[in-house]
Amino acid sequence: NNASTPSSPCVLVTGGAGFIGSHTVLELITQGFKVVVVDNLCNSCEEPLRRIEKLSGLTEQIPFHSVDLANIDALRGVFKAHTISSVIHFAALKAVGESVQKPLEYYRNNITGTLNLLEVMLQFGVKNIVFSSSATVYKADYDGNPLRETNELGCTSPYGRTKLYMESIIRDVVDANSGWNAIMLRYFNPTGAHESGTMGEDPQQIPNNLMPYMSQVAVGNLKELRVFGTDYNTRDGTGVRDYIHVMDLAEAHVVALKRLPLHKGYEVFNVGSGTGQTVLEMIEAMSEACGKKIPYVLEGRRPGDIDTILCDPTKSTKELGFQVSRDLKQMCTDLWRWQKNNPNGYK
Ligand code: NAD
Ligand code: WQD
């Protein structure tokens, strides 16, 4: 029932085998969309697609093309093989620290991939795109005020700059071509997993981010969590972030996709909860979810981090009509269910 024949319009999801992409593919199929996935599997595998098929009761495999966006001819082949009406563009490299070490790899992969995608969209007359952006595009607000879409932009890492440049490139394409619609979703800190416990985040290397690291400590794959910084200007001295359940984030993409036909042109929305948790509060919540203490050590600050990063969700609530519905407890319970049932991820 997901047969994507050339005549049935479908949503192309780039990076659809990855963490956020796979949860969004599931939500799209659940809401009745036909989907085509493109992913070069550089940070993922095909297994989440099999799990999506099972969860959604699909009788056919999800159309999947193992294509690198750098390969524009292969990408053209995908647009030839399906009638694509819109694109959700997740495919990117995303490790902040690695991007500092390998800036050219990040610029080449993220920017070239996006240029190729937009060029093929132009060629095939596909004018609708939802783009994975990030709170990292905002200039740091050291006072910890919630960030609005109108805040000043500015990044400190090559990864962040690729996001900023990709937003600008998409904006220029929208300005230059009539009928284009683009929504930039600036995510804050995604975590959690699908409530079935069969899908979740599966980092291919030792995780950099707090929650995947913590869940691997909880399941016994890693020894202890390192808490980076205890002297921040926050309620307990550790960093405050705005965590969002990956299924809420998946839903936000579908809401954005449904908005594209309203022809608003280029738009930007934050996707976060508007509330923040400290690292110690996250440890406490995760310990409760898994029913055991999570070993941790207190360390100095991680370079580049700041006290507080919070989302102001006013615009996305009012104009996009999106609000998170899953709380911290659910994020941790679902994350733990996934990690406990799949200690080695999809492997
Ligand atoms: P992920 O690594 O799990 O997913 C990205 C997917 O894109 C992977 O499956 C990877 O194999 C694929 N990919 C990368 N380069 C590709 C290329 N050139 N061609 C084809 N496929 C390619 O990461 P994620 O956490 O799901 O992130 C998805 C998107 O959201 C990324 O654009 C990321 O920058 C953005 N984002 C993530 C976070 C976060 O904390 N996870 C926060 C804000 C924004
Ligand atoms: C959260 C808090 C750390 C790891 C990053 C990117 C951002 C976006 C989301 C893509 C901070 C602390 C962390 C650990 C710790 N990604 N921490 N021990 O840095 O807010 O955002 O992911 O766009 O661009 O920068 O997320 O999960 O790394 O850190 O104490 O082992 O946890 O210092 O306070 P961050 P994070």
Side-chain angles (χ1 to χ4, degrees):
N1 46 353
N2 188 50
S4 187
T5 56
S7 57
S8 60
C10 52
V11 182
L12 171 67
V13 182
T14 75
F19 171 44
I20 305 167
S22 60
H23 288 78
T24 303
V25 168
L26 173 63
E27 186 60 27
L28 284 165
I29 291 172
T30 305
Q31 293 203 33
F33 287 90
K34 299 199 183 300
V35 173
V36 176
V37 172
V38 163
D39 199 303
N40 67 357
L41 305 180
C42 69
N43 196 35
S44 55
C45 61
E46 270 191 68
E47 180 58 21
L49 304 182
R50 302 292 88 78
R51 309 257 173 124
I52 295 168
E53 287 153 7
K54 217 169 179 184
L55 282 169
S56 55
L58 285 183
T59 50
E60 294 174 23
Q61 288 205 343
I62 296 164
F64 170 66
H65 298 266
S66 178
V67 161
D68 192 316
L69 295 184
N71 185 345
I72 194 165
D73 289 331
L75 194 56
R76 281 199 188 97
V78 176
F79 278 72
K80 264 188 209 136
H82 306 274
T83 303
I84 292 165
S85 53
S86 42
V87 176
I88 306 183
H89 180 30
F90 293 101
L93 298 176
K94 62 160 185 179
V96 174
E98 187 184 57
S99 80
V100 177
Q101 306 302 322
K102 303 175 180 172
L104 292 180
E105 209 173 291
Y106 272 68
Y107 287 118
R108 185 175 296 117
N109 188 76
N110 294 0
I111 307 280
T112 308
T114 301
L115 291 175
N116 285 348
L117 176 66
L118 293 168
E119 192 171 324
V120 177
M121 287 174 69
L122 272 176
Q123 186 188 335
F124 284 81
V126 180
K127 300 179 174 186
N128 296 314
I129 182 166
V130 177
F131 177 66
S132 277
S133 192
S134 168
T136 198
V137 300
Y138 291 113
K139 189 165 179 214
D141 182 323
Y142 291 94
D143 296 330
N145 299 310
L147 297 161
R148 309 185 74 124
E149 291 82 350
T150 46
N151 268 54
E152 197 181 335
L153 303 180
C155 302
T156 51
S157 76
Y159 163 71
R161 274 187 283 279
T162 69
K163 288 284 158 193
L164 205 49
Y165 297 154
M166 290 185 283
E167 283 195 356
S168 305
I169 291 165
I170 294 170
R171 176 167 214 149
D172 288 339
V173 171
V174 171
D175 287 347
N177 297 280
S178 69
W180 271 67
N181 307 294
I183 294 181
M184 311 295 103
L185 296 181
R186 292 181 181 155
Y187 325 149
F188 283 66
N189 291 57
T191 186
H194 187 257
E195 62 176 10
S196 64
T198 64
M199 292 177 58
E201 187 167 9
D202 179 20
Q204 306 293 297
Q205 292 144 7
I206 293 180
N208 302 301
N209 295 120
L210 177 67
M211 294 313 285
Y213 198 104
M214 199 188 299
S215 66
Q216 297 223 1
V217 171
V219 84
N221 289 345
L222 293 168
K223 189 169 148 258
E224 61 195 6
L225 179 72
R226 299 155 65 199
V227 175
F228 297 141
T230 53
D231 59 348
Y232 285 113
N233 184 21
T234 61
R235 37 188 185 269
D236 62 20
T238 65
V240 168
R241 297 292 182 271
D242 190 318
Y243 296 90
I244 174 171
H245 195 295
V246 65
M247 288 309 300
D248 277 331
L249 187 50
E251 286 173 14
H253 286 83
V254 182
V255 172
L257 189 77
K258 289 178 175 166
R259 183 176 170 87
L260 292 171
L262 299 180
H263 300 296
K264 300 278 186 183
Y266 177 90
E267 292 184 295
V268 178
F269 293 103
N270 282 341
V271 194
S273 71
T275 58
Q277 277 83 35
T278 69
V279 175
L280 294 179
E281 286 164 358
M282 294 308 281
I283 296 175
E284 182 61 33
M286 192 63 182
S287 297
E288 231 163 80
C290 48
K292 56 181 165 188
K293 287 261 169 269
I294 292 170
Y296 65 89
V297 288
L298 304 176
E299 292 201 358
R301 295 182 177 201
R302 183 173 67 177
D305 279 354
I306 62 169
D307 307 49
T308 299
I309 301 177
L310 276 182
C311 169
D312 182 336
T314 309
K315 185 184 177 200
S316 45
T317 307
K318 276 199 188 142
E319 293 179 36
L320 192 59
F322 169 77
Q323 255 177 315
V324 300
S325 65
R326 295 161 179 91
D327 63 10
L328 177 61
K329 189 173 178 188
Q330 189 167 355
M331 284 181 224
C332 293
T333 311
D334 292 342
L335 175 57
W336 176 238
R337 192 179 298 111
W338 153 253
Q339 195 68 77
K340 180 179 49 139
N341 294 348
N342 306 268
N344 299 310
Y346 290 113
K347 286 173 269 313

